[in-house]
């Protein structure tokens, strides 16, 4: 008979951790009061936060939502701080500027569709087919915002099809380079001379479209987002091209890129905006109306792309030479090696810088108030110009700061998510 | 057309051929809309309301001109302009006229290529201080810190005044009136100086206006008026005489209420008849309809009505007519005859 050794047949019940090792007290001990100096800093920080809330909250929490004008807030004995009636009264204007009420679903839809369009770019788990929508979105978005006949954007889009077809057909006959050059020329010619004529003809034959909204009606947060998103979307590819150009061995391309980057970086954004608003008017022929918002978008884009180029160049420079050599050794040509090996790594390194530039660009859009565009900050002056709200300041700035914070904070959270996801080191 | 230009440029920034510019009047008629530069926001003079409709004394001038030219006081595209870009916007042709509390000065008229089409408000620069500062006159302001808006005549007048009186000051330059107001309230400066009308408007918005006072000295002449580009006399005439029509209307008792009735048929007063187009054909000389002035008056009334509705004593801004009373009542508002 073998003797059975003592074997425990059931597990001991799990005990709760000792009180000092769980919950808030443990977290606080580890994070806030782990050492004497840490405790002092934590204590001071908590004091500062409490003090600020003590000063700020009573000002913020006021029963002033219903006020019709500033005088009511002054006269009401219950209101001793912020006069939030201004936000209720002008919320629509702060969001959409002077965009017609009946059409305001359009910017909202454009914004929602923008989220859909950038989703496949931001999250790689989504089906790649959604990229087609992202490619079409710029035209859709412009059409939704400015309105007018559908044929204009469609015909501009058709330019790409024309270029593609010309390239395909000619590539078999005349070789790649000539096909590319002819395709680009054909597309440009179509855009310059064909689009206006054909789209007007089509509009005449089959008027499909939505009410046109003039750029003058753009304002508020919608204007900031329009300028910011266009600038962001356009400056990244432009920045990549400039960064590659700066690293290029081809002399002319290198000199042009360096010249562009250094010139644009050497000029303050506000100068470029003044050029857009004031100087271009002198250069253009008198009868050409060249949309102010479009001019601003172009200026903001070239400004941001110069910074973007330097951020990406930093990423390129951080890559070990071995990566370039390995790409060459594999027999990849320049574009293949950039697309498959260099850029994915360089861009990953540059993410914090890129997002930083994006956030900066988005906030810089408020500078347009100086050239008379009524973005949220510009609207402050307009709102103060009315008899009802003359004298309101902090309520508006608080609200606008909050709106901007929501956007910039989401951008920075996304960048953190992306960095974590792409982290390959251990 | 604008649309296709926009899209075309998105596609490719190309070289665009321009057509030689005709006169501003023809441009305005062709566009069907008057592009009028106004302030981005100044109490009583120009500001958009909650629905985005522009209101104010300067805005009213734009509407009157639009009504005179196009027959519709709403056919105006308001272009909000800051002090920095206002003249270039006018000179580069981005706007047809500027009605933005702009002081008529020698150098602006002669050197900058502008033509002032008249004066719609006689203003002057004043000072506002806290009462507890114990200052009763501007001559006691030696060494004060002063909030001023940059890029305006205010800045230059201030320097002149202090130099002439042998005093020193420390300027706190600020971009907009509203900001200056805030800085002043926050104590960043002892004195806030700007046009007296704006001082009155600003003081009225303070939580406790009684703690502040406007000093008696007016240190400058600030005739504010609409501006057009130099070199287009017919257009300048239209703006000038639209303003004159509003003033004559007040002089002759033509109001928003009775203009339709008076303009329907010739009455006993020949000048009213010429003004309202029932006699004489003055409109045709300007290249406008016979009832151009009647249209302009019908939008918001005559000069006096516009004044009372936008900046007058019944409004929160509460300005009295003062210098801006008709010449028959001891003011400076005067117009050449309609003949």
């Amino acid at each position: 008979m073998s003797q059975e050794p003592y074997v425990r047949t059931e597990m001991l019940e799990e005990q709760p951790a000792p009180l000092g090792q769980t919950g808030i007290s443990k977290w606080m001990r580890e994070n806030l009061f782990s050492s004497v100096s840490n405790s002092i800093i934590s204590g001071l920080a908590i004091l500062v936060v409490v003090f600020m809330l003590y000063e700020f909250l009573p000002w913020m929490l006021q029963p002033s939502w219903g006020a019709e004008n500033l005088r009511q807030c002054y006269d009401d004995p219950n209101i001793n701080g912020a006069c939030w009636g201004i936000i209720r009264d002008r919320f629509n204007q702060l969001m959409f500027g002077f965009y017609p009420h009946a059409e305001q679903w359009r910017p909202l839809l454009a914004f929602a569709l923008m989220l859909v369009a950038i989703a496949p770019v931001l999250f790689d788990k989504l089906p790649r087919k959604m990229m087609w929508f992202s490619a079409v979105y710029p035209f859709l978005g412009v059409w939704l915002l400015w309105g007018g006949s559908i044929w204009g954007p469609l015909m501009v889009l058709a330019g790409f099809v024309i270029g593609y077809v010309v390239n395909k057909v000619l590539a078999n006959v005349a070789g790649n380079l000539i096909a590319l050059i002819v395709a680009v020329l054909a597309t440009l010619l179509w855009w310059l001379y064909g689009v206006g004529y054909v789209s007007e003809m089509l509009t005449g034959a089959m008027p499909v479209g939505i009410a046109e909204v003039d750029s003058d009606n753009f304002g508020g947060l919608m204007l900031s987002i329009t300028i910011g998103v266009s600038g962001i979307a356009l400056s990244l590819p432009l920045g990549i091209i400039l960064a590659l150009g700066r690293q290029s061995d081809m002399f002319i391309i290198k000199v042009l890129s360096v010249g562009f980057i250094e010139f644009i970086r050497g000029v303050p954004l506000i100068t470029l905006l003044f050029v857009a608003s004031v100087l271009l008017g002198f250069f253009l022929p008198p009868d050409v109306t060249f949309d102010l918002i479009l001019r601003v978008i172009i200026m903001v884009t070239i400004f941001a792309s110069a910074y973007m180029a330097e951020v990406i160049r930093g990423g390129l420079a951080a890559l070990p030479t071995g990566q370039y050599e390995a790409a060459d050794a594999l027999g990849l040509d320049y574009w293949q090696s950039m697309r498959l090996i260099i850029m994915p790594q360089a861009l990953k390194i540059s993410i914090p810088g890129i997002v930083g530039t994006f956030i900066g660009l988005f906030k810089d859009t408020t500078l347009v108030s100086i050239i008379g565009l009524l973005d949220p900050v510009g609207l402050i002056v307009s709102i103060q110009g009315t008899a009802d709200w003359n004298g309101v300041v902090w309520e508006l700035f608080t609200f606008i700061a909050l709106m901007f914070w929501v956007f910039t904070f989401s951008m920075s959270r996304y960048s953190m998510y992306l960095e974590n996801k792409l982290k390959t080191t251990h | 057309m604008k649309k296709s230009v926009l899209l075309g440029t998105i596609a490719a920034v190309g070289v665009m051929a321009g057509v030689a510019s005709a006169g501003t009047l023809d441009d305005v008629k062709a566009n069907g809309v008057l592009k009028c530069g106004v302030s981005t926001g100044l109490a009583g003079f120009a500001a958009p309301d909650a629905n985005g409709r522009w209101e104010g004394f300067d805005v009213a001038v734009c509407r009157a001109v639009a009504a005179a030219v196009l027959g519709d006081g709403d056919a105006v595209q308001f272009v909000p302009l800051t002090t920095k870009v206002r003249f270039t916007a006018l000179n580069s042709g981005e706007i047809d006229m500027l009605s933005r509390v702009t002081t008529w000065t020698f150098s602006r008229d002669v050197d900058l290529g502008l033509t002032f089409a008249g004066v719609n408000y006689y203003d002057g620069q004043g000072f506002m201080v806290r009462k507890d500062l114990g200052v009763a006159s501007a001559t006691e302001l030696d060494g004060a810190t002063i909030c001023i808006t940059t890029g305006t005549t205010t800045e230059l007048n201030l320097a002149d005044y202090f130099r002439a009186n042998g005093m020193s000051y420390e300027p706190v330059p600020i971009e907009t009136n509203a900001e200056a107001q805030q800085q002043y309230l926050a104590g960043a400066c002892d004195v806030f100086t700007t046009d007296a009308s704006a001082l009155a408007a600003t003081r009225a918005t303070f939580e406790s206006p009684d703690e502040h006072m406007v000093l008696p000295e007016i240190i400058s002449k600030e005739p504010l008026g609409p501006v057009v580009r130099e070199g287009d006399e017919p257009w300048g005439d239209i703006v000038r005489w639209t303003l004159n029509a509003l003033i004559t209307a007040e002089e002759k008792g033509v109001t928003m209420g009775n203009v339709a009735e008076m303009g329907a048929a010739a009455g006993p007063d020949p000048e009213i008849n010429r003004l309202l187009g029932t006699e004489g054909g003055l409109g045709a000389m300007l290249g406008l309809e016979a009832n151009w002035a009647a249209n302009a008056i019908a939008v918001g009334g005559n000069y006096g009505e516009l004044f009372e509705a936008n900046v007058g004593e019944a409004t929160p801004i509460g300005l009295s007519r003062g210098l801006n009373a008709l010449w028959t009542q001891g003011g400076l508002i005067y117009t050449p005859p309609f003949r």
Side-chain angles (χ1 to χ4, degrees):
Chain A
M1 291 293 284
S2 63
Q3 259 198 332
E4 291 223 0
Y6 172 74
V7 175
R8 201 183 183 116
T9 51
E10 75 247 25
M11 291 293 287
L12 264 183
E13 291 249 335
E14 262 184 54
Q15 299 289 316
L19 216 55
Q21 292 299 318
T22 54
I24 187 114
S25 64
K26 170 175 186 249
W27 184 88
M28 276 173 61
R29 205 174 54 243
E30 281 183 0
N31 290 293
L32 298 181
F33 305 105
S34 60
S35 68
V36 178
S37 55
N38 195 352
S39 306
I40 294 173
I41 293 171
S42 300
L44 283 178
I46 290 170
L47 271 182
V48 168
V49 170
V50 167
F51 175 74
M52 281 171 66
L53 287 179
Y54 176 76
E55 290 286 315
F56 199 57
L57 276 184
W59 178 81
M60 285 202 42
L61 303 173
Q62 295 288 336
S64 53
W65 187 249
E68 295 290 330
N69 56 49
L70 192 59
R71 192 45 63 184
Q72 272 186 17
C73 284
Y74 286 157
D75 292 345
D76 190 333
N78 296 322
I79 301 172
N80 289 309
C83 192
W84 295 115
I86 174 70
I87 306 297
R88 177 190 53 76
D89 193 35
R90 295 301 180 99
F91 182 79
N92 205 273
Q93 205 165 64
L94 286 168
M95 287 297 155
F96 298 103
F98 305 142
Y99 212 84
H101 281 269
E103 307 287 339
Q104 279 171 4
W105 58 273
R106 278 160 48 182
L108 282 177
L109 180 65
F111 183 71
L113 289 180
M114 181 197 81
L115 295 181
V116 177
I118 58 172
V121 183
L122 298 185
F123 304 103
D124 60 356
K125 294 212 177 60
L126 292 166
R128 293 295 87 191
K129 285 214 172 109
M130 279 175 75
M131 284 293 218
W132 283 105
F133 179 72
S134 313
V136 175
Y137 177 77
F139 302 93
L140 184 63
V142 165
W143 181 63
L144 275 176
L145 288 179
W146 276 274
S149 160
I150 183 108
W151 295 112
L154 277 184
M155 287 305 110
V156 172
L157 205 52
F160 288 107
V161 180
I162 289 176
Y164 180 77
V165 171
V166 169
N167 190 16
K168 272 281 165 203
V169 171
L170 274 187
N172 298 329
V173 188
N176 276 336
L177 186 65
I178 294 176
L180 186 68
I181 292 173
V182 174
V184 169
L185 278 180
T187 312
L188 286 180
L189 279 177
W190 165 254
W191 278 338
L192 281 180
Y193 299 106
V195 168
Y197 178 71
V198 176
S199 62
E200 252 165 61
M201 214 172 62
L202 280 168
T203 310
M206 213 192 312
V208 182
I210 45 182
E212 223 171 285
V213 178
D214 219 43
S215 286
D216 307 302
N217 296 313
F218 282 46
L221 189 65
M222 179 197 140
L223 178 66
S224 302
I225 295 179
T226 308
I227 296 175
V229 168
S230 324
I232 285 171
L234 295 170
S235 68
L236 184 60
L238 211 56
I240 292 177
I241 291 171
L242 282 171
L244 290 177
R246 192 167 185 163
Q247 297 242 312
S248 167
D249 298 328
M250 288 185 260
F251 181 72
I252 300 283
I253 290 185
K254 184 175 176 142
V255 167
L256 283 178
S257 304
V258 172
F260 180 89
I261 293 170
E262 294 303 334
F263 176 71
I264 297 295
R265 281 208 310 169
V267 180
L269 177 58
I270 188 68
T271 323
L272 292 177
L273 291 179
F274 274 126
V275 168
S277 89
V278 166
L279 225 53
L280 278 182
F282 285 111
F283 295 151
L284 292 169
D287 280 6
V288 174
T289 45
F290 186 6
D291 199 275
L292 178 59
I293 292 180
L294 186 62
R295 282 183 273 171
V296 166
I297 288 177
I298 292 174
M299 286 302 175
V300 166
T301 302
I302 61 178
F303 182 77
S305 64
Y307 279 87
M308 192 64 70
E310 288 299 279
V311 167
I312 292 167
R313 190 169 69 95
L316 289 172
L319 275 193
T321 332
Q323 296 292 330
Y324 292 88
E325 287 164 356
D328 289 344
L330 283 172
L332 301 177
D333 68 17
Y334 178 78
W335 292 111
Q336 284 173 328
S337 69
M338 285 300 144
R339 189 163 55 87
L340 298 172
I341 299 195
I342 308 298
M343 269 304 150
Q345 301 185 65
L347 287 180
K348 190 181 82 183
I349 300 172
S350 324
I351 287 170
I354 292 176
V355 176
T357 313
F358 283 169
I359 291 177
L361 186 156
F362 185 62
K363 289 188 295 184
D364 280 351
T365 57
T366 52
L367 280 178
V368 299
S369 60
I370 298 180
I371 56 168
L373 285 180
L374 297 180
D375 78 317
V377 176
L379 275 171
I380 291 180
V381 178
S382 296
I383 291 172
Q384 285 166 335
T386 53
D388 282 350
W389 297 111
N390 193 343
V392 159
V393 176
W394 299 112
E395 293 82 350
L396 285 169
F397 272 116
T398 310
F399 179 69
I400 292 168
L402 187 72
M403 291 197 299
F404 272 86
W405 181 80
V406 167
F407 279 91
T408 51
F409 185 66
S410 359
M411 281 193 243
S412 95
R413 293 306 295 187
Y414 172 74
S415 119
M416 282 169 73
Y417 155 83
L418 201 60
E419 276 170 58
N420 277 331
K421 198 186 69 170
L422 297 178
K423 200 182 278 173
T424 48
T425 51
H426 299 286
Chain B
M1 193 56 230
K2 194 168 182 184
K3 190 75 217 160
S4 62
V5 170
L6 177 83
L7 285 166
T9 346
I10 285 176
V13 182
V15 183
M16 280 165 287
V19 188
S21 174
T24 311
L25 176 60
D26 295 330
D27 288 347
V28 172
K29 279 182 173 167
N31 292 336
V33 63
L34 171 77
K35 282 179 283 184
C36 192
V38 292
S39 165
T40 49
L42 179 62
F45 287 89
D49 68 7
N51 297 316
R53 188 184 158 81
W54 286 83
E55 305 284 359
F57 196 46
D58 279 345
V59 167
V61 174
C62 299
R63 291 195 191 280
V65 173
V69 177
L70 301 164
D72 178 6
D74 285 327
V76 192
Q77 177 188 335
F78 290 101
V79 182
L81 296 171
T82 55
T83 50
K84 291 216 176 352
V85 299
R86 56 180 165 179
F87 297 131
T88 29
L90 181 64
N91 276 330
S92 66
E94 234 154 82
I95 54 175
D96 301 316
M97 64 177 281
L98 179 72
S99 180
R100 195 201 173 285
V101 285
T102 303
T103 308
W104 185 352
T105 68
F106 179 92
S107 57
R108 283 176 181 174
D109 199 345
V110 176
D111 199 31
L112 281 183
L114 308 172
T115 295
F116 283 80
V119 177
N120 67 337
Y121 190 88
Y122 286 96
D123 214 335
Q125 185 175 345
F127 297 99
M128 179 163 59
V129 294
R130 264 182 208 79
K131 275 189 182 155
D132 56 23
L133 202 64
V135 171
S137 153
T139 51
E140 298 165 28
L141 290 176
D142 196 10
T145 50
I146 301 184
C147 285
I148 40 169
T149 44
T150 55
T152 63
T153 46
T154 316
E155 211 174 353
L156 311 172
N157 296 331
L158 186 69
D160 283 356
Y161 181 76
F162 273 72
R163 199 173 66 188
N165 287 287
M167 302 189 294
S168 67
Y169 67 102
E170 197 183 316
V172 182
I174 289 158
E175 183 64 28
T176 64
N177 246 343
E179 224 176 298
Q181 180 176 327
Q182 208 55 34
Q183 293 285 349
Y184 168 74
L185 278 181
C189 46
D190 307 321
V191 187
F192 175 28
T193 181
T194 187
D195 292 350
S197 63
L199 282 184
T202 304
R203 184 167 164 270
T205 68
F206 288 169
E207 187 160 7
S208 34
D210 298 337
E211 290 171 15
H212 305 267
M213 63 183 281
V214 176
L215 297 177
E217 283 85 358
I218 297 292
I219 65 163
S220 71
K221 290 182 285 187
E222 306 278 348
L224 311 177
V227 195
V228 295
R229 271 185 295 283
E230 204 161 74
D232 190 351
E233 288 314 313
W235 177 247
D237 288 342
I238 289 173
V239 177
R240 177 175 304 113
W241 284 94
T242 304
L243 183 59
N244 286 343
L246 298 178
I247 296 170
T248 305
E250 187 187 7
E251 217 177 294
K252 295 285 177 186
V254 182
T255 63
M256 186 159 59
N258 66 17
V259 65
E261 185 194 334
M262 288 175 113
D269 187 331
E271 183 156 16
I272 292 182
N273 293 345
R274 286 192 294 270
L275 174 70
L276 300 181
T278 47
E279 219 180 277
L282 295 186
M285 295 182 202
L286 284 173
L288 302 175
E289 305 287 322
N291 62 349
W292 63 284
N295 285 339
I297 297 161
V299 177
N302 60 38
Y303 180 86
E305 287 176 288
L306 293 177
F307 191 99
E308 291 309 330
N310 291 299
V311 292
E313 275 168 343
T315 67
I317 297 160
L319 295 173
S320 60
R321 286 296 288 268
L323 282 181
N324 297 291
L326 286 180
W327 61 285
T328 50
Q329 291 155 18
L332 292 175
I333 298 295
Y334 182 89
T335 156
F338 275 73
R339 180 168 290 283

